[in-house]
Amino acid sequence: LARDIWVKGWWDGYARNVHVHIIDLAWLEARAEKLRNFSLPVIHGLLQTRDYAEAVMRTAEPDVPDKQIAQWRDFRMKRQEVLDRLEYTAILDEAVFHRPFGGAQVMRDQLAHLLDVSDRPNVTIRVLPFSTNPLACPDSTFRLLTMPAPFPVVAQVTTEAGTIYVEMPKAARFETAYTRLERHALDAEESRVFIKTRMEQLT
């Protein structure tokens, strides 16, 4: 990996306009075989539509110029190409479905996109309902990236103080947390029903 890091990738064209920790994440995603994600405040970036992504960014960074927002949005859309090849599982806290970033129409389009993406054989989307045990829900969003052997599983957490990457054995705590989430989340088909119902509520 130390040698590979010097190989240029598509993300190099964004290096001046995108935070370095997001560049690092894209680099890891491009090499991962499996990605597991838990999303608490918003729908995970790899599942976002362009309009939803822009609405989230404008809410988080209201003073950023339009040109910068557009570059961040385009970078996020480009990252989504990894869904064409790796095994991806997302557990979305029910709270994300009650925050209609961009308004009702943007949110409806976003939920329709979730249904479309979940049709892929390598993508699984599950919902963690409010009815679950509150202690089953971690404090924040995190990701688990399974790298090709012999490299370790990497856990990634984004905080207000910056991004944290944790390798094994410390990443084992995140794997335990994700297993706990899987036990409490709706299964894939139940989650699709939930998403469709939420779409109808937004009409």
Side-chain angles (χ1 to χ4, degrees), residues 19-39:
H19 295 299
V20 65
H21 72 269
I22 300 297
I23 297 287
D24 292 340
L25 179 59
W27 185 87
L28 282 169
E29 288 172 344
R31 287 153 179 78
E33 296 179 341
K34 179 179 179 180
L35 173 58
R36 289 166 287 172
N37 179 79
F38 170 64
S39 294

Side-chain angles (χ1 to χ4, degrees), residues 46-47 83 88 112-121 123 125:
L46 293 183
L47 298 173
L83 295 182
Y88 176 84
H113 179 66
L114 291 182
L115 294 173
D116 288 342
V117 175
S118 67
D119 279 334
R120 300 186 186 189
V123 174
I125 297 175

